Amino acid sequence: MAKLKGNLGRRGFLKSAAGGAAAGAAALAVPPQAILAQQEVAQQQGAPQQGGRNRGGATQPDAAVLAREDGTARPTATSRVVERPGSDHMVDVIKSLGIEYCAFNPGSSFEGLHESLINYGENKMPEVLTCLHEESSVAMAHGYAKIEGKPMLALLHGTIGVQHAAMAIYNAYGDRVPIVMIAGVGDTAVPAHTAVDLAVTVRDYVKWDHQPATINTFAQTLQRAYKLAMTPPMAPVLVVADAAHQQMRAPNLNVPKLVMPAVPSADLGSVREIAKMLVAAENPRINAGRAARTQKGMDLLVELAEALQAPVNGVGERINFPSRHPLAGNGAGNPDFVLNLEGGGGGGFGGAAGGGGARPKTVSITSAELLATHNFNVNGNAPQGDLVIAADAEASLPALIEETKKQITPDRKRAFEERGKKHAEANLKARRQAIEAASYGWDASPISLARIAAELWPLIEHEDWSFVSPQGFVGNWPNRLWNMDKTYRYIGGQGAGGMGYGAPASVGAALANRKYGRISVNIQTDGDMNYAPGVLWTAVHHKIPLLSIMHNNRGYHQEVMFVQQQCALRNRGADRAHIGTRLIEPNIDYAKMASAYGMYSEGPIADPKDLLPALKRGVERVKKGEPVMLDVITQPRG
Amino acid sequence: MKLSIRILILMAALTLGALSASAQGDAKAGADHWMKYTCYGCHGFSGQNGPGMRLVPMKMTVENFTKMVRNPSAPNRMPPYSEKNLTDAQVANIWAYLKTLPDAPPAKDIPLLQQIIGEQK
């Protein structure tokens, strides 16, 4: 936790105050540490650096600042060139982390770092991504990390950048996704852009934040932030970088070797106990929420399930288990033992989803136990169970598999094989029934969500594809109809349920998929699209191939249903639920919206007969490397 | 007396006729109600997509449909609609509208779905 303990000496204070009433008022609003650092720069450079932009600050900038903002005045020339500025060192540290991309909306509090990234760093590792909103920067990083398994860097501009980013950070925290963020501080031209404690706004939903006191400690700070972000429970981290540290001379600073810590796994004693219970249970079930962090995690889960012939409800907040595996689903009958791995599953096919019959014995392995959260109930209630292990599930699986296999006797193995057949039969029946339900509204206009998923499947099934948007609002049809056999086939939802995630996270995930040549598919809800649509431009500008299909039901449909229910329950105005919930009069034309950002688009498409040809054209363009938007008018829900 | 009986018969005939007309419902007006009262919210524009009960093909009698609207079996999901909010005539109109909506083709007649079902093992 970064807490500034500014020590502004009398001399420094008088020097700041002497600049006139306006300047003095501004100086009082600046963090003392920033002032001291700027004095250091001034002494080194011979002239203070002026800068800033006004993005709605409460205090009006003076004429000189405005002249800088509108380009009529250049920054004050320094008496000599700053060689080896601190921000070059910052770039060296960033490069030591192997970060591929750096997303930001530009801001003067990190203009030094910006310059170093594009010139000293040659805009490679990381490459700059121009974003039109900080929420887009962070949400792109969120989607990217869920495909690539490592963080993207997001730069935030002072107080305003952090606040713009806040919702996306909250989602990533709830989703346990690593993101490294650097916020610039010291944009003294607009006092409202700086703060004594910049990170306080988001401190309750980042895993760690820190503001290095000097440029000499930046490397250890950023590396520590990276390690914390990447160690389960993963989460966003924030480092505050003083603008003065970016601009000062900082020669001969070393970058330490990055050594990643071992991931916390369950202790051997607990593992043996769980294995014993799993083998003894008559009808165990495995639920997986965010268990498979990597493909290795999915493979291990398959190995454990097959050893036990136990069903796996593996569609929690990730694809943890291949969706067409015979053991994928809730299987047959009620479980007498449940193993929850990083949360519960997501409903799954077949059997009882839980709760039927006697309460089963429950064991939970989750790293969420290690994520102490202040104020916000991000992770919900603590996992209930007869045994709760605070450890990473994926890291615990190898030992659990080994112990389980050791304890399986030939008799138990025969019994497992018998029950495995029953589970496979129940799961297959449930999957077929789920697919048959796709016929409802098949020929209807607006178009059913099942039809969109069904028509798209033959166009992508022989490609390497990745579904990069949430599926709760689209009836989970992709999971019901498509063969999700890899972790990157589906990356889950918002994390904390905040809208505005889908569009940017899809672009970020598609960026990660690009180098693997995958076709990324986003079924994009209309309400979500309108939070920060500028990310469409980012996708076009950076040539990120992504097929976005609008789920355009012309409303905040969940709320349509909720408000309608309230009207009926209160016995009044049942014809007024559309007020405040529907996006009509005028209808929003998403094809035109995408076109305005330079993206190929078609629509609105309301007749199901027009859908397949449009999908074919869209897929072809995406295969050539383009982002595409198809505006499809849809049934409200799946 | 004869006059009174004739009047009674005439009144009964008129009443039955009105009831019959009401029971039959006006599908065009029902289409408007379907949207205005946000029935589509849970049952889809198609009457068969969404978290609500599948209402197409409409197999209920208008009487049973009205009973369901007034006293749904799962009130936590489908709230009861009183006559103040939705008159009997309006409910009948919605029922008539739902009767006009086409049923979905069975999955066995949709080659695409058969292909996907065939992929399951």
Side-chain angles (χ1 to χ4, degrees), chain A residues 324 557 564-565 571 635 638, chain B residues 41 45 50 76 81-82 84 119:
Chain A
R324 292 182 179 178
H557 192 73
Q564 178 64 27
Q565 189 180 42
N571 198 24
Q635 293 288 323
Chain B
F45 298 115
N76 291 335
Y81 283 76
S82 71
K84 178 191 165 194
E119 291 170 6

Side-chain angles (χ1 to χ4, degrees), chain A residues 266 270-279 281 283-291 297 300-308 310-316 320-321 329-330 334-346 353-354 359-366 383-394 396-404 419:
Chain A
S270 299
V271 165
R272 284 183 179 139
E273 195 176 338
I274 298 168
K276 191 176 168 187
M277 289 189 275
L278 276 170
V279 173
N283 196 14
R285 181 188 298 166
I286 302 169
N287 292 326
R290 294 182 175 88
L300 289 168
L301 198 47
V302 169
E303 190 176 348
L304 178 65
E306 289 181 350
L308 290 161
V312 180
N313 183 339
V315 194
N320 299 281
F321 197 77
N330 288 318
N334 290 312
D336 61 342
F337 180 85
V338 172
L339 175 62
N340 288 319
L341 300 174
E342 303 292 353
R359 191 185 83 81
K361 189 171 279 188
T362 304
V363 169
S364 181
I365 303 176
T366 175
Q384 300 296 308
D386 300 283
L387 182 63
V388 178
I389 312 295
D392 178 63
E394 181 174 322
S396 305
L397 279 173
L400 182 58
I401 291 165
E402 188 180 335
E403 286 300 319
T404 299
R419 79 179 176 209

